[in-house]
Amino acid sequence: HLLLFLLFVGPFNCFASYSRATELFYSLNEGLPAGVLIGSLARDLRLPTAGGQHPVVPRPPLSFTLASHGLGGQYVQLDNRSGELHTSAVEIDREALCVESSGATVFGSSAVSPSSPSFEPCLLLLDVLVLPQEYFRLVKVKIAIRDVNDNAPRFPVPHIHLSVPENAPVNTRLAIEHPALDPDMGTNSVQTYRLRDNYGVFTLDVEENESGERTPYLIVMGALDRETQEEYVTVIVAEDGGTPPLVGSATLTIGISDINDNCPQFNDSQLNVTLYGNASLGTRVATVHAVDMDLGSNARVTYSYSQKVHQPSRDLFHLNESTGAITLSTKVDGDTSKLHRLIILGNGPGCIPAVITVLVTIIKVMMRPPEVVPRFIANEVEGVVYLKELEPINTPIAFFTIKDPDEKYKVSCYLDGDGPFRLSPYKPYNNEYLLETTKPLDFETQQLYEISVVAWNSEGFRVNKIIKVQVLDDNDNSPVFSEQLIELSIEENNVPNAFLTKLHATDADSGERGQVSYFLGPDAPSYFALDKTTGVLTVSTQLDREEKEKYRYTVKAVDSGFPPRESIATVTITVLDKNDNSPRFINKDFSFFVPENFPGFGEIGVISVTDADAGQNGWVALSVLNGSDIFVIDTGKGVLRAKVSLDREQQSSYVLWIEAVDGGDPALSSTAKITILLLDINDNPPLVLFPQSNMSYLLVLPSTLPGSPITEVYAVDKDTGMNAVIAYSIIGRRGPRPESFRIDPKTGNITLEESLMQNDYGLYRLLVKVSDHGYPEPLHSTVMVNLFVNDTVSNESYIESLLRKEPDISIEEKQPQISIEPTHKKMESASCMPTLVALSVISLGSIALVTGMGIYICLRKGKRHHSEDENLEVQIPLNGRINLHMLEKKPVEISNI
């Protein structure tokens, strides 16, 4: 039964849901960003949530769909599941949507006419379908767009013109036909108007009509007078009612229109004129003029005779009603009155006429004046003769015929006025005169001449004929520079297109002939530019004084005549120095070789430095950055000196840094490296280190074999090179057989030369000279080598007593020679002789054998001496006695060795 009930009730339930329509109303501000929540359809329609189920039958989730995607659909986004309605990325602009301001404007799938005439909301209409069938319904969603103050008032035109008659009474109201527009609505639209300057005679009022439109009105608050001020210019400002308020403005020009509130007036009330009776017809007698301060037709003045003027006077004088000119209209004869009173009226529209009286007095003349009749040869227009300048002398201008109309009197004539003109009779004709030039005319000197041809008769009656001569210009003048030599200066490293000067040349000719154009000469560098019209001289690139200091070229000024004329001037430009170059050393590294012990403040070397700048910028000061306590440098000459004498043994080289600073501001600098190498001088004698004392001795056993080393002399020299090469030699000997010992010149080794015998026992004292190979003079030291030949040392005190005695040694130094052979031969013979004698005494029978053996031994010794001494130099032998105590270097008391 339950199943049957559900089958019966279900279709009717669906039908009821389908038939229901629902309306939802939302509102939001215009201009909101995307994603702002407008409303939730599911919540506002009280529909079950997406996961809800019917107590008996489960139901599918809800679905929300826009029925149509009209114009309103682009501004919203509908969540199909939750039914939430959000703003889309398309911003809502109420003024763009609701273009109809008189009523509601609806955007969506359909439009509905407004029910009230004003301030109806701006609506977006959406049709939303709710599914599934159990909840099906059509939801009408209305979204009202609220206005925000996002538009300022704006006048449709930037300039508003308003005309006010000058006789407008106070409180006159004039509508301003171009009110400001504001797309916003309500209080956000235009609320008030004001004037920035009301001149004390204007104010504004605002009227609102039934539709809510506000129109500004200009109200006149004071008296206006066009003749005092004909126009007022101010600014009209419109302001809306938003928070904060926005404003817009336009220029308001208030023109004061003229009314006929002024009448013509003459400056004088009476005018007195004299007229000769022989005046010709059309002669101007006088001109009257009245002024009306009004404008246009209100200021038009016409002239007429008063009714009081007699008819004869009206007939004699003609009055021009427009110009007020009075001219002679009929001939004066004997019956003409001598005095005429002309009352003239100045008439204006709607005005009482102004009055002036002209008194004309006629002076009767019984004869007629001479006549002057010109016949122009040169070009003449309305009495003005036109002549070109530089016309040749005697250029004819006009013929003049002089005559007496009555043919009773003699007539003469002459030329009156200044100028190069001459009036002379033209023969053979009578009363004919020729007017011509006497010298060329110059337009630049005078352009206009006014001369008179005067004719008079014998009765003294004169007539003037005025001639005006206008001189026409010709291109006879070249442009002239204000300076023929234009001297300029500019600092180097200038900005591109830098201004140098403005050339100025004048041309005395007129018109195009006097128009001057400027050009660079052919010798001008390409990076200089000269404006053809203005004469402005510029340089397009940076100038470098070190590259070129002076420029000299020509410029031309050319006029526009035909043919053109030109003049030339010379431009010299001096490039001024800027401190843009650092001092520059000729070398970055300087090396100087100086002998040691060089005297203090002696010249070590010259540091050469240059600076490409000039003047103070090129002045260079040198200083020593390190080692200033030892070295100084001469700033002006760059000479490097040492304050003290330098000792190579203390320091063999010095590295200095020299700084060069120029005199610019700011100063520029550079540095250079100076290496000073001290050359060795032989200023140190050899220092004997062993033996350490002249009082020491050494025991030598008699059994010592020949050639055995006994001891050595060891010395050092602080100098270098050849100054430190040491040679050893024995310069003095004392003992039983002193020649038994020999010293090696190079090593200082002392060896036994010959076998020791019984009679060779005793104390041997060898004075050894230790010498270097220095230049220019070698230095030396001496040391005493003591050798005691014995089997034992039985009495040391005795030996010491012998050592303390002054040795009597003859000094005859015979240093081994290297390159001199005779010396070696002498030494060989001297050393071999005792051996030969001893061998002959021992065995006379074996003389030949012993002699051969002796010669063999001597030859071997000679070769050894030669090979050991070949590097020694010849030295001067020292003769005389030597104080051994004075020659000791560092005496040290030494026990027996």
Side-chain angles (χ1 to χ4, degrees):
H1 293 86
L2 178 59
L3 180 58
L4 293 175
F5 173 78
L6 291 175
L7 291 174
F8 179 79
V9 176
F12 292 98
N13 186 38
C14 293
F15 179 79
S17 299
Y18 184 86
S19 63
R20 285 183 297 171
T22 306
E23 282 192 357
L24 291 178
F25 184 82
Y26 300 103
S27 63
L28 75 159
N29 291 339
E30 62 175 325
L32 293 178
V36 175
L37 179 63
I38 301 173
S40 175
L41 302 185
R43 183 187 65 241
D44 297 337
L45 293 174
R46 292 187 176 88
L47 297 176
T49 59
Q53 293 182 347
H54 191 275
V56 179
V57 181
R59 296 181 178 179
L62 295 174
S63 174
F64 300 87
T65 307
L66 289 174
S68 62
H69 296 277
L71 181 61
Q74 64 178 324
Y75 298 103
V76 297
Q77 285 185 344
L78 177 62
D79 190 305
N80 294 338
R81 295 297 181 187
S82 65
E84 289 185 347
L85 201 60
H86 295 83
T87 57
S88 70
V90 180
E91 184 179 299
I92 299 175
D93 184 3
R94 192 198 66 83
E95 289 74 32
L97 293 175
C98 304
V99 294
E100 298 292 340
S101 61
S102 61
T105 304
V106 182
F107 291 89
S109 58
S110 62
V112 181
S113 299
S115 59
S116 60
S118 62
F119 303 118
E120 289 294 333
C122 177
L123 298 178
L124 284 179
L125 292 184
L126 303 173
D127 292 340
V128 180
L129 296 178
V130 182
L131 296 173
Q133 188 174 3
E134 289 88 341
Y135 300 100
F136 175 76
R137 65 182 68 189
L138 177 63
V139 182
K140 297 286 189 177
V141 179
K142 295 182 180 181
I143 303 174
I145 309 302
R146 293 192 296 265
D147 181 51
V148 296
N149 190 28
D150 57 346
N151 292 279
R154 186 176 62 86
F155 286 90
V157 292
H159 298 278
I160 301 174
H161 296 272
L162 194 63
S163 180
V164 181
E166 61 177 326
N167 63 343
V170 176
N171 294 327
T172 298
R173 299 170 65 89
L174 299 169
I176 297 176
E177 298 181 354
H178 300 285
L181 304 177
D182 193 329
D184 295 326
M185 61 180 296
T187 58
N188 292 333
S189 62
V190 178
Q191 299 297 313
T192 60
Y193 291 87
R194 68 176 184 274
L195 295 176
R196 287 188 184 171
D197 187 0
N198 57 20
Y199 295 95
V201 292
F202 300 105
T203 187
L204 286 180
D205 189 18
V206 179
E207 291 185 3
E208 185 175 356
N209 57 17
E210 295 179 355
S211 62
E213 295 180 351
R214 296 175 180 268
T215 303
Y217 280 80
L218 180 71
I219 302 176
V220 179
M221 300 298 294
L224 304 175
D225 185 8
R226 190 206 62 80
E227 287 73 32
T228 302
Q229 185 168 350
E230 63 180 3
E231 186 179 72
Y232 297 86
V233 180
T234 183
V235 175
I236 181 172
V237 179
E239 182 177 311
D240 63 21
T243 304
L246 302 177
V247 298
S249 63
T251 301
L252 177 62
T253 302
I254 306 171
I256 309 302
S257 59
D258 184 54
I259 63 169
N260 192 24
D261 56 348
N262 290 279
C263 291
Q265 291 182 350
F266 288 105
N267 292 330
D268 300 312
S269 60
Q270 183 171 312
L271 186 63
N272 297 320
V273 178
T274 299
L275 180 67
Y276 287 100
N278 59 353
S280 58
L281 296 179
T283 300
R284 178 171 294 187
V285 179
T287 300
V288 295
H289 181 66
V291 178
D292 192 322
M293 299 299 294
D294 292 325
L295 291 176
S297 61
N298 294 331
R300 182 181 178 185
V301 179
T302 60
Y303 303 92
S304 62
Y305 285 124
S306 171
Q307 297 294 328
K308 298 179 180 180
V309 178
H310 301 296
Q311 190 63 40
S313 297
R314 290 171 180 264
D315 296 337
L316 184 62
F317 301 103
H318 175 261
L319 174 63
N320 188 309
E321 65 174 8
S322 299
T323 63
I326 304 171
T327 57
L328 184 63
S329 59
T330 58
K331 280 286 187 177
V332 177
D333 53 24
D335 298 331
T336 303
S337 174
K338 294 183 179 180
L339 182 62
H340 297 266
R341 183 184 297 272
L342 305 178
I343 301 174
I344 300 173
L345 305 178
N347 306 295
C351 291
I352 299 175
V355 179
I356 187 172
T357 301
V358 178
L359 292 178
V360 181
T361 301
I362 297 178
I363 300 175
K364 291 188 177 181
V365 179
M366 299 308 295
M367 69 183 81
R368 289 187 293 175
E371 292 182 355
V372 179
V373 181
R375 288 170 293 166
F376 292 100
I377 302 172
N379 185 27
E380 179 268 339
V381 178
E382 296 182 356
V384 179
V385 177
Y386 295 92
L387 290 178
K388 290 184 178 181
E389 65 175 335
L390 303 180
E391 287 280 0
I393 300 176
N394 301 326
T395 296
I397 299 174
F399 280 112
F400 289 89
T401 301
I402 309 299
K403 62 180 180 179
D404 180 17
D406 298 327
E407 298 182 355
K408 296 180 180 180
Y409 306 99
K410 182 180 179 181
V411 180
S412 301
C413 71
Y414 67 91
L415 188 64
D416 186 19
D418 296 329
F421 305 103
R422 176 177 58 218
L423 183 66
S424 57
Y426 191 73
K427 297 180 179 179
Y429 303 101
N430 294 326
N431 297 331
E432 294 288 345
Y433 293 85
L434 177 63
L435 179 63
E436 59 186 354
T437 61
T438 58
K439 64 180 182 179
L441 303 178
D442 187 3
F443 175 86
E444 289 71 36
T445 303
Q446 188 170 344
Q447 294 86 37
L448 181 66
Y449 295 90
E450 187 171 310
I451 55 179
S452 298
V453 176
V454 181
W456 82 98
N457 58 18
S458 57
E459 298 297 324
F461 200 91
R462 297 173 181 272
V463 174
N464 293 345
K465 182 63 176 180
I466 298 175
I467 307 296
K468 292 182 179 181
V469 178
Q470 177 68 54
V471 182
L472 300 178
D473 188 30
D474 199 358
N475 192 31
D476 59 336
N477 291 279
S478 299
V480 178
F481 280 100
S482 56
E483 295 176 302
Q484 286 299 314
L485 179 60
I486 304 165
E487 297 179 322
L488 307 173
S489 63
I490 183 174
E491 281 193 344
E492 64 176 331
N493 303 330
N494 54 283
V495 297
N497 300 316
F499 173 83
L500 293 175
T501 189
K502 183 176 182 180
L503 304 181
H504 181 66
T506 57
D507 193 315
D509 294 323
S510 62
E512 292 184 354
R513 293 172 292 274
Q515 293 179 0
V516 180
S517 300
Y518 301 91
F519 302 94
L520 290 172
D523 54 344
S526 60
Y527 39 83
F528 288 95
L530 180 59
D531 189 278
K532 175 182 177 181
T533 304
T534 63
V536 173
L537 181 63
T538 57
V539 56
S540 61
T541 186
Q542 283 190 347
L543 299 180
D544 186 359
R545 189 203 66 83
E546 289 72 36
E547 181 179 339
K548 189 171 184 179
E549 185 176 4
K550 289 187 178 293
Y551 295 86
R552 184 183 182 94
Y553 53 87
T554 57
V555 291
K556 295 191 299 182
V558 183
D559 63 22
S560 301
F562 183 79
R565 301 174 71 95
E566 66 179 40
S567 61
I568 296 176
T570 301
V571 176
T572 63
I573 301 174
T574 302
V575 183
L576 304 179
D577 184 55
K578 291 184 71 175
N579 193 27
D580 58 343
N581 289 278
S582 301
R584 183 178 179 182
F585 289 94
I586 293 180
N587 298 313
K588 279 298 181 182
D589 295 311
F590 291 85
S591 297
F592 297 106
F593 296 88
V594 181
E596 65 174 332
N597 302 328
F598 194 70
F601 292 97
E603 181 178 321
I604 295 176
V606 178
I607 311 300
S608 298
V609 61
T610 61
D611 194 314
D613 294 322
Q616 187 72 15
N617 295 331
W619 180 85
V620 179
L622 298 174
S623 61
V624 181
L625 296 180
N626 61 325
S628 58
D629 53 339
I630 300 177
F631 298 94
V632 294
I633 191 166
D634 187 340
T635 296
K637 298 180 180 179
V639 177
L640 181 65
R641 306 175 188 272
K643 298 180 182 177
V644 297
S645 180
L646 304 178
D647 187 359
R648 190 204 64 80
E649 286 70 38
Q650 293 182 1
Q651 187 170 340
S652 61
S653 64
Y654 296 86
V655 176
L656 304 179
W657 289 97
I658 304 297
E659 182 182 36
V661 181
D662 63 23
D665 185 16
L668 301 177
S669 64
S670 61
T671 57
K673 180 181 177 182
I674 311 296
T675 302
I676 301 174
L677 301 173
L678 296 182
L679 302 176
D680 185 50
I681 291 180
N682 192 28
D683 57 346
N684 291 281
L687 176 63
V688 179
L689 300 180
F690 184 84
Q692 296 182 351
S693 172
N694 291 328
M695 301 300 291
S696 62
Y697 66 93
L698 178 68
L699 177 65
V700 180
L701 298 177
S703 60
T704 304
L705 296 177
S708 299
I710 304 300
T711 185
E712 70 172 344
V713 176
Y714 179 69
V716 294
D717 197 315
K718 294 181 180 180
D719 295 322
T720 61
M722 295 301 295
N723 295 332
V725 175
I726 297 175
Y728 302 89
S729 63
I730 299 174
I731 61 173
R733 302 169 185 262
R734 183 177 178 83
R737 191 154 56 98
E739 64 272 8
S740 300
F741 298 95
R742 176 183 175 275
I743 190 168
D744 189 300
K746 294 175 65 177
T747 65
N749 292 332
I750 297 177
T751 57
L752 179 63
E753 186 72 14
E754 300 174 356
S755 298
L756 297 175
M757 300 181 182
Q758 186 67 33
N759 57 352
D760 293 335
Y761 285 37
L763 179 64
Y764 290 79
R765 308 198 72 177
L766 306 178
L767 181 61
V768 178
K769 177 182 178 182
V770 183
S771 176
D772 61 24
H773 284 62
Y775 179 82
E777 181 178 353
L779 302 179
H780 69 274
S781 300
T782 59
V783 65
M784 186 69 73
V785 178
N786 301 303
L787 303 176
F788 184 65
V789 180
N790 202 358
D791 292 327
T792 60
V793 179
S794 58
N795 190 352
E796 292 184 4
S797 59
Y798 171 72
I799 298 174
E800 291 176 357
S801 65
L802 293 178
L803 293 176
R804 282 193 291 269
K805 291 181 180 181
E806 183 73 23
D808 187 10
I809 300 176
S810 295
I811 300 175
E812 290 185 3
E813 181 183 6
K814 294 182 180 180
Q815 183 174 341
Q817 300 297 313
I818 296 174
S819 58
I820 302 178
E821 291 297 326
T823 303
H824 291 286
K825 292 179 181 179
K826 186 177 181 181
M827 291 174 63
E828 292 171 7
S829 61
S831 61
C832 294
M833 187 61 65
T835 304
L836 294 176
V837 174
L839 291 173
S840 61
V841 173
I842 295 173
S843 179
L844 294 176
S846 58
I847 293 175
L849 179 63
V850 173
T851 302
M853 293 178 63
I855 293 173
Y856 174 74
I857 294 172
C858 289
L859 291 175
R860 288 188 61 185
K861 290 183 178 181
K863 290 180 180 180
R864 185 168 66 249
H865 281 294
H866 180 73
S867 62
E868 290 175 352
D869 301 338
E870 60 184 358
N871 294 328
L872 299 179
E873 295 179 357
V874 177
Q875 298 191 7
I876 300 174
L878 301 177
N879 298 319
R881 301 173 63 87
I882 297 177
N883 188 346
L884 299 179
H885 296 288
M886 295 297 295
L887 294 177
E888 292 179 3
K889 294 297 290 183
K890 292 184 180 179
V892 179
E893 294 297 333
I894 303 177
S895 301
N896 295 336
I897 300 176

